[in-house]
Amino acid sequence: MAQHDQDEQMEAYSEAVESGLYAKKSGLTGKYDNVRRYWEDEITREFLRPHLMKLLERCKSRMDRLRILDLGCGSADGFELLTGTRQQHASLQKDRVDLLMPEVLGLYKGIDLNADLLDQGRAIYGDNPKMVFEQGDFTEGLPQEDKENPYDLYFTSFGTCSHHNEDETFVQMMADIADHTRDYSIVMCDWLGRYSYEWQSLWTNDLEERKNMDYVVSYIYEKEERERKRDQLQHLLLRLMSRGEAESLVEEASEKAGVEIKPLTYFDRSIFTGRHMDTADYNTHAQPIRKTVNSLHEENCRTDLDDLIIDYVPKEGFHFLNRYFENLQVCWNTLVQYVDHLVEIYDAQERQYSRQPDPVPASYPSPLRDMMLRMTRVIEGVGWLGLGMPRENIIEPQLGYALRNMMSQLQQGKGCAHGLIGIFEIDKS
């Protein structure tokens, strides 16, 4: 091969590498790991879905399209979350299953203080004329222009509201939203949960003692690199929030605006799967459960299910929290051990169990019972397939979804997870 031709070919490979398209994609680590995509985003969509549907119906009834204001938008991760929300129980035959189809979106406006993130958002979505990105600081009130039309959905995601280190700024933002709402709007607020197990060392019964935490962005690195860069890691001051505190602040904002801001639901997201479970930066007893759940959803990857077993270590002086987490741990471990047992006794050659599994006790909580029975059907249905690695690519991901579903039903929306999310309604009609 001529040297000139060889150089041209090498340049082509170099260009491909620089584009990032030659990089091996994995959901085991990083910001967009499998837990983020298959657990956290989906849990948020599950709770937001009925309220988003109501907004869309109201827009349709007034012959209008949906307007969204994303506060702390970053590079528009929230837009991806919203547009990925699907119709509930969509039939297998249906192709168009997204709730937020392009034709029903009137405007998405993203506000963020970080110019680099806004530039990234523009680079990704710059060709969409219905998407606008502007720099603004929502801790100084609602960023809005004079005579700017109100929005239907005021949205935050992934701990954005925890950037309100002073409660007064959050109250002012919520009051501004209430003032800005014309007839009806939905507001979603997303904080760091005060009583997440991953930062058990920060738990306190005196809520005035510690309102904010020094949040280290260490989770984006593997353990060895994380320790090597320990002195270079970025730190954020972020507000920890419990449900009681959130209710009090929203009530204060309602009084300030003279408009009712009605709580519709609170939910906890990522109870044992928060990012700092893997770092153990704030709890020396934390186990890398997120890493193992990531493995459940990684294609062609077989997971050691023993690594999913949680050993919750209680903290003295927090009896009710300890009892809550211990109950969750027992349900989690029971489901994992049950599936591990089914896999062990299932004979793929004979397409049946080598011995009958024990019946699921009727005394178990229904979310646990339902998922145990579901996993029984999964293993019986695909355990014999052989082709396509049924354990790695079907059984393990389904165990992940079963754990996610069970924890979503058992959570109480008290601030006992990485994220506490509240969804609120403002109705002036």
Side-chain angles (χ1 to χ4, degrees), residues 112-298:
D112 204 279
L113 194 56
N114 188 291
D116 292 331
L117 288 173
L118 291 171
D119 287 341
Q120 188 177 52
R122 293 185 187 104
I124 299 171
Y125 298 107
D127 59 346
N128 187 335
K130 293 190 290 185
M131 296 185 68
V132 177
F133 296 90
E134 292 184 4
Q135 192 168 24
D137 185 356
F138 58 80
T139 66
E140 296 181 354
L142 183 66
Q144 57 183 318
E145 300 172 2
D146 292 338
K147 299 182 180 180
E148 183 175 357
N149 288 331
Y151 293 86
D152 303 294
L153 175 62
Y154 296 85
F155 181 81
T156 68
S157 58
F158 295 102
T160 295
C161 285
S162 283
H163 286 284
H164 287 279
N165 302 130
E166 302 295 333
D167 291 343
E168 294 76 12
T169 66
F170 172 76
V171 169
Q172 185 61 58
M173 184 192 77
M174 290 294 285
D176 287 348
I177 290 174
D179 287 337
H180 196 230
T181 296
R182 178 178 297 155
D183 297 316
Y184 185 90
S185 69
I186 293 292
V187 186
M188 190 175 104
C189 298
D190 197 315
W191 298 273
L192 295 186
R194 175 173 287 282
Y195 294 113
S196 180
Y197 180 50
E198 63 196 298
W199 40 73
Q200 191 188 55
S201 63
L202 305 181
W203 289 7
T204 177
N205 283 312
D206 181 359
L207 300 184
E208 295 299 319
E209 176 188 4
R210 181 182 289 112
K211 287 191 173 183
N212 298 293
M213 72 176 290
D214 177 19
Y215 189 93
V216 185
V217 188
S218 56
Y219 54 82
I220 59 176
Y221 301 108
E222 293 288 351
K223 183 175 181 180
E224 294 75 15
E225 188 176 5
R226 183 164 63 239
E227 295 308 317
R228 191 169 61 252
K229 293 186 173 183
R230 180 63 64 178
D231 295 336
Q232 307 167 34
L233 296 174
Q234 297 297 311
H235 292 243
L236 300 170
L237 186 66
L238 297 176
R239 175 69 154 93
L240 296 170
M241 189 66 67
S242 66
R243 179 168 175 169
E245 292 171 283
E247 289 175 334
S248 177
L249 293 175
V250 171
E251 184 178 344
E252 185 178 341
S254 293
E255 293 175 357
K256 187 180 183 70
V259 177
E260 182 185 14
I261 304 174
K262 179 182 177 181
L264 297 175
T265 188
Y266 286 92
F267 63 95
D268 288 325
R269 183 186 60 217
S270 295
I271 293 175
F272 287 127
T273 52
R275 293 188 182 275
H276 279 293
M277 285 294 290
D278 290 4
T279 70
D281 281 344
Y282 305 93
N283 181 359
T284 57
H285 303 295
Q287 302 163 254
I289 299 298
R290 188 183 183 105
K291 178 181 180 181
T292 310
V293 173
N294 276 329
S295 177
L296 288 179
H297 293 281
E298 190 73 1

Side-chain angles (χ1 to χ4, degrees), residues 310-379:
I310 295 172
D311 181 15
Y312 173 78
V313 178
K315 182 171 182 174
E316 188 176 353
F318 294 87
H319 172 71
F320 292 103
L321 283 175
N322 290 331
R323 189 168 62 179
Y324 172 67
F325 279 110
E326 285 169 348
N327 176 261
L328 292 176
Q329 172 211 276
V330 170
C331 290
W332 176 289
N333 290 347
T334 299
L335 179 55
V336 171
Q337 290 165 340
Y338 181 72
V339 171
D340 199 17
H341 176 63
L342 292 182
V343 170
E344 180 184 348
I345 65 174
Y346 186 81
D347 188 331
Q349 299 298 321
E350 297 296 327
R351 301 189 179 188
Q352 62 184 8
Y353 295 112
S354 58
R355 61 182 184 276
Q356 276 303 113
D358 294 333
V360 177
S363 60
Y364 282 3
S366 58
L368 171 59
R369 278 180 48 81
D370 291 346
M371 291 304 102
M372 291 174 72
L373 294 171
R374 179 181 291 267
M375 288 308 302
T376 302
R377 292 194 291 270
V378 168
I379 292 169

Side-chain angles (χ1 to χ4, degrees), residues 71-131:
L71 297 163
C73 65
S75 55
D77 284 0
F79 180 76
E80 295 177 17
L81 191 155
L82 290 167
T83 54
T85 305
R86 298 191 165 193
Q87 300 170 19
Q88 193 171 23
H89 310 309
S91 68
L92 294 177
Q93 296 83 11
K94 204 167 184 179
D95 295 322
R96 288 166 59 90
V97 295
D98 294 333
L99 272 183
L100 197 56
M101 300 300 289
E103 61 268 23
V104 302
L105 177 66
L107 176 68
Y108 167 93
K109 182 176 179 179
I111 300 289
D112 204 279
L113 194 56
N114 188 291
D116 292 331
L117 288 173
L118 291 171
D119 287 341
Q120 188 177 52
R122 293 185 187 104
I124 299 171
Y125 298 107
D127 59 346
N128 187 335
K130 293 190 290 185
M131 296 185 68

Side-chain angles (χ1 to χ4, degrees), residues 39-54:
W39 280 50
E40 293 168 340
D41 284 356
E42 290 302 322
I43 290 169
T44 304
R45 288 168 179 144
E46 174 188 349
F47 284 94
L48 181 60
R49 180 184 294 110
H51 310 296
L52 186 56
M53 290 174 62
K54 184 175 180 179

